[in-house]
Structure formats: C-alpha cells, structure tokens
Amino acid sequence: MNRPSPRGKRIPPFTVLRFARYLNFLCNLPEEVREISSAEMARTIGIKATQLRQDFFTLGGFGRQGRKYDTRVLEERLREVLALQGSQHMVLVGAGNLGQALANYQDFERFNLYLRGIFDTNPKLIGLRFRGIEVMGLEHMQDFIREQGIELGIICVPHSVAQPVCDALVEAGIKGIWNFSPENVLVPEGVVVQNENLSVGIMNLSYQLSIARED
Amino acid sequence: MNRPSPRGKRIPPFTVLRFARYLNFLCNLPEEVREISSAEMARTIGIKATQLRQDFFTLGGFGRQGRKYDTRVLEERLREVLALQGSQHMVLVGAGNLGQALANYQDFERFNLYLRGIFDTNPKLIGLRFRGIEVMGLEHMQDFIREQGIELGIICVPHSVAQPVCDALVEAGIKGIWNFSPENVLVPEGVVVQNENLSVGIMNLSYQLSIARED
C-alpha cells in the first residue's frame, strides 16, 4: 500500500472515533460477509457516505465510489492505524453495577483488549468471579499492576474516591485511565485519561434532540 | 447580556461536549464555591485555558483573562444554551448490570433529566425497584411512553434485540435514543440517536496511549 497513510501522523480526535466505529462495525458483521460497499457501510453506521469515503481514502487505497471492499483487509488496516494489533491489558477498579457490566462486556477482546484484574474494597464483592476473573482487595492492586506490567486502568468507583484510586493506578505504572466516575480525574504528564462522564453523554443527546425539534 | 450568543445557532459537536463538561464540573463544585477563574477551571477539567476562554466568550460576556466568574450565572447560562432548563423524562430498556448502573446514577437529575420507567423481559428482574422505580414487563413499555409523553429512551439490551427495541421505542413516540448496546441502531428521520459504544471509548483511549508513547 504505497498511498498516503495516517501512520505516524496524529489522527484528529473525531476521526479516531469514526475509525473505531468502522472497525467495531466490521467486527460485528456476520462471518460470511466478506465485502461491503462504502455506501452500505455508511448507511448502516449512520454517517454520510462522502465522509466515510474521505476517511477511507486517508487509510490508503480505500474509498472509491461504487467499489466493494474486502472487509478483512479493511479491518486489518483499521487495527493498524488505531494501534490495536498487539494485546493490551487492563485492570478495573470498582466492581459495582457498572464495573460488573464492563467486566462482562465481551466485545473488548475483539480489539485485543483484555481485562486481567478486578479490584474493590467491598468484602461482599471480593472473591466473586466475572468471566473467570476474581475480584481482589484493593490492597493487592499495585503489586498486581507492577507484576503484570499493565498499562490501562478502568475506574468505576464512587465520585469521592476516584482521584485517590487514579493516583494509586498511576503510581503503580498505569499509563491510560478510562474514568467512569462523575468526577474528572487529574493525571500527570505522560498519562492519558478519558473521562467517560455519563451525564455528558445524555446532555449531548438532549441538546441534539432540542436542535432536531427546531428543524 | 447583549453579546454574541450561540442561542438558536447550532453549536458544533465538540463544543457541545465541552459545554456539557463545564456544566458537569460546575454542578460538582462544593456549594460554598461561588466564583472561579477560567485558569482554575481549565486546569481542573484538563483543557487548555485559551480554549475554555474562547468557549466562554461565545456564551456571551464570559471569558476575560484574570477574571473570576460567578459559578451560578455561568451554570445558568450553560443550562440555557444546552437546552436543559425544562425537565426531560426517560425510559430505560434492559435492567441488567449496565441498566441497573444507569438507573442508580443520580447525576442525571442535576440536569433535569428524570428516569421514569424501566423495562425488561426477564421475570427475575420484573418487580425489582431501583431508586423507587419498578422494573416492568416490556409489553407495558409502549403504553407507558405514550401515556407519559416520554421522549428519551435508553437501550441497555443485548446486541441481538437492540434494533427491535429501538423500533418499538420510536413507534411509541421516543425522539432521542441513547444506545449502549454494541450494535448501532437505525432510526427514522426526525429521531436522534447517540450510540455510546463502549468499545469505541476504549479504542480511543488505546490510540491516545499509543500516541503518548511516541512523544
């Protein structure tokens, strides 16, 4: 593929999200679907076909109108630009409802993202297993992260303890934090954080609805 | 406030997300904090101060460097531009772990977003209560939505039934869908959908981490 490629270049934030959606879509296709047109993919995902073709063009060699694409080649290329080819390992802190939902979420593994440890302080939760992973006491977390060399941490703890949990994760070597607590957590330089604030999601939907009403 | 204002104009997508984060931040401040500087707010949220001041400027009359802002005035203004001043009502379909986590999430109410009904097909879940709301059988959903005039629907059902559940919600009058199932759902013109795909979130974080490693 001797085409313009985003490899090594920083992909703009919204483009990353679209690439992730394309990859997710491709991974959810039935096994027997081996090719797809950009028009069909755009319609199913709910995105403009021109936008999708433009994105495909930047992937190198994709994006011509009226052509069908090999779904596996496209999938591989997306995994490559999204840096998802190697396995990545995660720990999860907080095994309440949301933590359990994430622990039971099987889709992450399609993207080589593996949950390795679950931690909580609640004695009723410690010892429970989710998809084979036992919930351990929080006091074991830092040793576990260091021993396993884990870099991704998911925070599903209450508001009031989100920052101390985040600090403990970073101290143990975590480089990427996925934070589901309502509080934005602060991280030092060199650590990335994604605050997945649920209220922000519903506020965005509510705003889009108010705009749709005006139309 | 005789300043340029985004009211009536469509706010760009990323700006809506930032406004929602600002509002969420302000709502999480301790009651006694009555003013804040843009620098302090930018640092705590983890956003560039210039970006925040630019956003505040578009809100009309905010955003001057070195000044402190009245947190309540700012909060009111954000609620106004995000169209969050009136109450909005929601139903939730699927009372598994994720559905229960959302049903127990108290923050939505700060933004005048109220969960009114929870529906599932699982007899073990029907009759349970979350924060006073009883889980009802799915067969009651459409009547409930129509009687209560509810416009927002949250989908927390498995992949395979997401689209039929979405269709039933839309048929009953739902205008905004917040979809947590891994499948993108399709909606007719005039209905807005936000696909909160969890894999997309973690793929984005993983990508940002790969970029940070290169720096």
Side-chain angles (χ1 to χ4, degrees):
Chain A
M1 258 185 273
N2 299 314
R3 303 252 176 181
S5 139
R7 174 124 214 181
K9 272 197 280 179
R10 217 165 271 228
I11 310 173
F14 257 137
T15 312
V16 174
L17 295 176
R18 286 197 307 274
F19 282 0
R21 284 171 69 192
Y22 302 154
L23 178 56
N24 185 61
F25 170 82
L26 291 167
C27 289
N28 275 311
L29 283 176
E31 188 66 23
E32 65 273 16
V33 178
R34 302 294 289 271
E35 51 175 38
I36 192 160
S37 71
S38 53
E40 188 182 347
M41 198 164 150
R43 196 184 56 245
T44 317
I45 296 179
I47 192 170
K48 282 187 183 151
T50 49
Q51 174 73 76
L52 185 136
R53 278 196 291 271
Q54 190 186 316
D55 286 341
F56 277 18
F57 182 75
T58 72
L59 289 173
F62 299 94
R64 264 167 284 167
Q65 197 163 358
R67 239 194 74 180
K68 289 215 171 202
Y69 297 101
D70 184 312
T71 53
R72 298 197 184 181
V73 174
L74 195 49
E75 189 183 317
E76 265 323 292
R77 183 68 184 129
L78 286 163
R79 285 182 188 274
E80 187 190 339
V81 297
L82 291 171
L84 288 170
Q85 289 177 313
S87 296
Q88 292 184 76
H89 304 281
M90 315 185 280
V91 292
L92 187 155
V93 195
N97 279 317
L98 186 57
Q100 291 181 28
L102 290 167
N104 284 321
Y105 203 77
Q106 298 179 35
D107 261 37
F108 300 144
E109 290 158 24
R110 297 173 183 234
F111 309 108
N112 292 327
L113 296 156
Y114 297 93
L115 184 63
R116 294 299 181 205
I118 308 172
F119 301 91
D120 205 294
T121 54
N122 184 343
K124 287 185 190 160
L125 296 172
I126 294 169
L128 292 184
R129 282 180 176 272
F130 299 97
R131 303 177 67 232
I133 304 167
E134 191 179 342
V135 181
M136 289 176 275
L138 197 61
E139 67 277 15
H140 303 297
M141 183 181 76
Q142 291 195 316
D143 285 345
F144 185 89
I145 291 168
R146 288 191 188 106
E147 280 159 21
Q148 310 262 332
I150 290 170
E151 293 199 319
L152 287 170
I154 309 175
I155 299 179
C156 293
V157 299
H159 185 270
S160 57
V161 290
Q163 189 62 54
V165 162
C166 176
D167 295 343
L169 286 167
V170 170
E171 196 188 67
I174 291 290
K175 298 290 179 209
I177 302 268
W178 199 16
N179 174 34
F180 282 88
S181 92
E183 175 123 17
N184 284 336
V185 292
L186 292 176
V187 293
E189 195 105 348
V191 177
V192 295
V193 63
Q194 177 159 315
N195 290 301
E196 203 75 43
N197 192 294
L198 294 170
S199 295
V200 169
I202 186 76
M203 283 193 264
N204 185 41
L205 176 63
S206 157
Y207 176 75
Q208 304 307 335
L209 181 57
S210 77
I211 289 292
R213 276 197 205 104
E214 285 173 14
D215 283 348
Chain B
M1 255 185 275
N2 299 313
R3 302 251 175 183
S5 138
R7 174 121 217 183
K9 272 197 278 177
R10 216 165 272 226
I11 310 174
F14 256 136
T15 312
V16 174
L17 295 176
R18 286 198 306 274
F19 282 180
R21 283 171 69 193
Y22 302 154
L23 178 56
N24 185 60
F25 170 82
L26 291 167
C27 289
N28 276 312
L29 282 176
E31 187 67 22
E32 63 275 16
V33 178
R34 302 295 288 272
E35 50 175 39
I36 193 159
S37 70
S38 52
E40 189 183 347
M41 198 163 149
R43 195 183 57 245
T44 318
I45 296 179
I47 190 171
K48 282 188 184 151
T50 49
Q51 174 72 76
L52 184 136
R53 279 197 290 271
Q54 190 185 316
D55 286 341
F56 277 18
F57 182 76
T58 71
L59 289 173
F62 300 93
R64 265 166 283 168
Q65 198 164 358
R67 239 195 73 179
K68 289 213 171 201
Y69 297 101
D70 183 313
T71 53
R72 299 200 183 177
V73 174
L74 195 49
E75 188 182 317
E76 266 322 293
R77 183 69 185 128
L78 285 164
R79 285 182 189 275
E80 188 190 338
V81 297
L82 291 171
L84 288 170
Q85 289 177 312
S87 297
Q88 293 184 75
H89 304 281
M90 314 184 281
V91 292
L92 188 155
V93 195
N97 280 317
L98 186 58
Q100 291 181 29
L102 290 167
N104 284 321
Y105 203 76
Q106 296 177 38
D107 260 37
F108 300 144
E109 289 158 25
R110 298 174 184 233
F111 309 108
N112 292 327
L113 296 156
Y114 297 92
L115 184 63
R116 294 299 180 205
I118 307 172
F119 301 90
D120 206 295
T121 53
N122 184 343
K124 287 184 189 160
L125 296 172
I126 294 169
L128 292 183
R129 282 179 176 272
F130 300 97
R131 303 177 68 232
I133 304 166
E134 191 179 343
V135 181
M136 289 175 275
L138 197 60
E139 67 278 14
H140 303 297
M141 183 181 77
Q142 290 195 317
D143 285 345
F144 185 89
I145 291 168
R146 288 191 187 106
E147 279 159 23
Q148 310 262 333
I150 290 170
E151 292 197 321
L152 286 170
I154 309 175
I155 298 179
C156 293
V157 298
H159 185 270
S160 56
V161 289
Q163 189 62 53
V165 162
C166 177
D167 295 343
L169 286 167
V170 170
E171 196 188 69
I174 291 290
K175 297 290 180 209
I177 302 268
W178 199 16
N179 175 34
F180 282 87
S181 92
E183 175 126 17
N184 284 337
V185 291
L186 293 176
V187 293
E189 195 105 348
V191 177
V192 293
V193 63
Q194 177 158 314
N195 290 300
E196 204 76 43
N197 191 294
L198 294 170
S199 295
V200 169
I202 187 75
M203 282 194 264
N204 186 40
L205 176 63
S206 157
Y207 177 75
Q208 304 306 335
L209 181 58
S210 77
I211 288 292
R213 277 197 204 101
E214 286 173 13
D215 283 347

